[in-house]
Amino acid sequence: MTDLSIGYGRPHQDGAVLDLFTSWAHRTPDAPALIDGAHRWSYAELDRLADTLADALRDRVRPGDLVGLCLDHSAALVAATLAVARLGAVHLPLGPRPGERRLQAVADNLRVTCLIGDPELLPPAHRAAERLPLALPTEGANAAATVVAAFAPAPADAIAAPTGTHYAVLTSGSTGIPKAVAVGESSLGAMLHWYRELTGLGPGDRHSLLIGVAFDPHLMELWGTLTSGAALSVAPDAVRWDRNALTDWWRTAGITVAVLPTPLAEPVLDRPWPTGLALRHLTIGGDRLRRTPGPDVTATVHNDYGPAEATVATTVHTMAPGADHGTGAPPIGLPLPGAVVLVTDQDGHPVPRGEAGELCIGGRGLAIGYLDPELTARRFVGAPEGVEGTDRVYRTGDRVVMRPDGVLEFHGRLDDQVKVSGVRIEPAEVEAAFERDGRVRRAVVAAQPGPAGARLVAFVQPAPGAELADGAALLPDVRLWLPEQAVPAVVRLVDAFPLDANGKVDRAALLAAEEAAGPAEAGEEGATPTEQTVLRLCRELLGRSGLGPQDNFLAAGGNSLAAARLLAALEEEYGVRLRAAQLLRQPDLRSIGRLVEDRRPGVVATA
C-alpha cells in the first residue's frame, strides 16, 4: 500500500510564556535582558518597567482587549509587550510606521482598545483622542522620544479577539483590509519550548532582535530569549541592508543565536563565512531558501517554514556545520513537536508521498483562527478522515511534495499570493490601495521574478477623464495603505487588460508584454568604467535596462535586498566595502559610481 502524505511531529511539551520571564527576573535579576548599543536593561529593570506600564494601563485595559503596539525595536517595545501580557490583554504588533490609512483601517475594523506609540505617527482619530503619556525609555537607536497610549472609541460592529488569544498579528488580506490572526498562549508556549530546545538558548547567550515588528517571527526572537534567561540584542538599522554590517555586528555584539529572513540570509550564505563569530544557531524563514550553507559555515543552520496561522513555525530542516548539504534549495523538513502536516488534492484528500499537493497544517501549533469568524470557517477546515491528532487543519495555499522519508519540499504557491522580500503579499490588497484613488478605474498587480527576488508591478487603468501622466504619481497615497514590501516597484498605465480563456485578467500576459516592451529608449551609458559597471549591476538587479546615470536607486525600485546584493557585487568587483547608508544617501547612480571610485585603493577619482 502506498504511504500517504501525512506526517506527525513527536510529542510536544507545553511551555509557559510570561511566567517563565517572571521566573528568570526573580532568579537572575541582574542578568542582562536587553542590549541596545551602549544601553542595557537587566531582567529586574525590565520587570519593573513592565509592572509600571501595566499599572498605568490597568484601569483602561481589560483582559482580552486588543492593544496595538506602534513601536520599533526598543526597550519600550519589549516593556509594552510584557505589560500587555501581564494585563491579560492581546498584543497586536503593528510596527512603527504601518501606514496611516492602513492603521486607520485596522482601528475601524478591529475592536482596538488603545494604540501605543509615537503620537505623531498615530492615525488622526487617535491623535485627537484621549492620550495617556507613558514613562518608557527613550534610549536606543530606534526608540521614540515620546510614547503615549491613545484611546479612541471602536465602531459598534468592530471585531474583538476570540477568548484565549495571547497575541494577534496581521497578514495580507484579499479584501484590501489586513487579516488578523489570533494565537493562544499554549500554542506560543509549545513553539517556544521547541525553539529553546532546538538552539540550546539559555543564560549567557545573546540573541538578535532584528525581524520587523509587524511580522510574527519577531515574537520567537523576543519571547524565546526572555523565557530562557538569555539577552536580546537590538540590531542596528544598517544590518537590514548590508550583509557585511550584519556579520560585523554579530561579531562585535557576541550574537550566539539569530533569526534571519530568507532574503537577507541568502547574501550571507553566498559569501565566505566570516571568522571570529560566536554564532551557534541561525534560523532562516519567510521564503523559499535557495542556498545551502557551505562547509565553512560554523553555525548550525535551520531552514524553517510556518505561516502566522500556525504560530510562526511548523516544519524545520536542520543543516549541521561543516557538512556537505548539496546544492539547490534545501527542503522545509519535518513537522515540529505536536504538529500534523498533510499534502492534499483539490478535494482535501491526502495524496501519495511523492505527489504534489496543497500543504495543510493541524495540531498543537494551530492558531485559534482569524478575528473574522467567517474567514476562519473558510480557511480552517475539518481534518480528513484517518488523520490523527487534530480535528481541523489550516489550508496554506502552498504547493509541496512529501518525500518517502516524510521530509517536505516547498514548490511555490497555489493561489495569487506572492512573497516579496520574504513577506506574504496578497495582490488584491495592493490593488485595493490603488483603487481607493479617484483617478484609478482598476488596478492589477503581478509579481515579476528577478535576480534580486520578486518585485511587484502594478498595471493601472485610469478612470475616465483622469489626468494621470505617470503611474508613479499614485504611489504617495498608496504608501499610506501598505507596508513597505507591498509597494510596487513599477507602475504602468494601461488602456485595457488582456483576458484569459476563463475571462479573468491574464497577469502572465501583462508581465510578458512588460518584459517585451522594455524601456521607451535605452538608458544613457556611464561616463567612466566604474559608472558603467554600477549601471550594469543596477539594471540587472532591478530588471530595468533603461536606467541611466541620473536615476535614483530607491526611486527606480530598489529595496533592501537589491541594495544588499549591489553592495556585495561592488565589493566583489572592486574590493570596495560600502555601507548601505552611504549608498542610499547618493542622489543618483552616477554618484554611486563616484563614491566607488573615491574608495578604490590607488585610483584617482574622476571629477
Side-chain angles (χ1 to χ4, degrees), residues 32-87:
L34 180 66
I35 302 168
D36 190 347
H39 308 287
R40 293 187 174 217
W41 290 265
S42 69
Y43 269 83
E45 288 169 329
L46 268 187
D47 191 46
R48 286 193 294 271
L49 277 173
D51 266 347
T52 300
L53 180 55
D55 287 343
L57 296 173
R58 198 174 305 277
D59 290 340
R60 302 294 303 274
V61 176
R62 306 297 181 190
D65 285 352
L66 271 171
V67 178
L69 301 190
C70 305
L71 297 167
D72 207 343
H73 299 127
S74 61
L77 170 71
V78 177
T81 301
L82 292 167
V84 172
R86 195 152 282 178
L87 291 168

Side-chain angles (χ1 to χ4, degrees), residues 488-536:
V490 178
V491 182
R492 297 285 185 235
L493 300 181
V494 297
D495 295 326
F497 294 107
L499 303 179
D500 61 18
N502 296 321
K504 297 182 179 180
V505 173
D506 192 337
R507 286 178 168 81
L510 284 169
L511 289 174
E514 165 76 7
E515 293 172 2
E521 57 183 44
E524 177 189 343
E525 291 304 319
T528 68
T530 304
E531 195 175 302
Q532 291 166 8
T533 299
V534 170
L535 283 170
R536 174 178 60 80

Side-chain angles (χ1 to χ4, degrees), residues 153-201:
D157 58 349
I159 302 172
T163 301
T165 304
H166 180 79
Y167 74 85
V169 65
L170 301 184
T171 65
S172 191
S174 59
T175 63
I177 301 299
K179 299 176 293 188
V181 181
V183 177
E185 182 175 6
S186 60
S187 297
L188 177 62
M191 184 276 293
L192 295 174
H193 186 279
W194 159 80
Y195 184 62
R196 293 190 299 267
E197 187 179 59
L198 178 78
T199 60
L201 190 60

